[in-house]
Amino acid sequence: MELGSVQDQSASTFSLTDEDHTLANSLRFTLNQDPRVTFCGYSIPHPSDARVNIRVQTTGDPASEVFKDSCQDLMLICQHVRSTFDHAVTNFKNEKGINAMDLKP
């Protein structure tokens, strides 16, 4: 849900429910890497409320567009990390001669 001003689309606050520091800090990081972002920060209104508010201010581009781009960037980063991890596990298993049946939980 966007709480920003209707006239100034370059600044908005996004409220994400059922989220915490894990997603908020990751989004803050990716947003701050974007040269279009002049300010980004997040807050958690209350520890018992599973919600985060992420404030985004840009150089003029719509904050909603920049926020969406950042979410997509974060998704690509996560996919890359997962792919790299899976590849490393496969290589480890192949080097050690371990098959999937040997690794029962």
Side-chain angles (χ1 to χ4, degrees), residues 12-74:
S12 293
T13 299
F14 303 91
S15 184
L16 306 176
T17 56
D18 296 326
E19 295 299 342
D20 58 14
H21 290 284
T22 304
L23 180 63
N25 194 42
S26 298
L27 278 172
R28 182 200 55 81
F29 175 81
T30 56
L31 280 160
N32 280 323
Q33 299 299 309
D34 192 321
R36 300 174 292 175
V37 173
T38 57
F39 172 80
C40 177
Y42 77 91
S43 65
I44 295 183
H46 191 274
S48 67
D49 187 12
R51 182 167 44 101
V52 296
N53 296 325
I54 302 176
R55 178 72 178 174
V56 180
Q57 294 175 333
T58 70
T59 57
D61 293 24
S64 59
E65 177 184 312
V66 175
F67 184 78
K68 179 183 171 190
D69 291 347
S70 181
C71 289
Q72 290 174 337
D73 289 346
L74 182 58

Side-chain angles (χ1 to χ4, degrees), residues 83-95 103:
S83 173
T84 303
F85 176 79
D86 289 344
H87 184 66
V89 168
T90 300
N91 285 345
F92 176 80
K93 287 178 182 178
N94 290 338
E95 289 173 7
L103 297 177

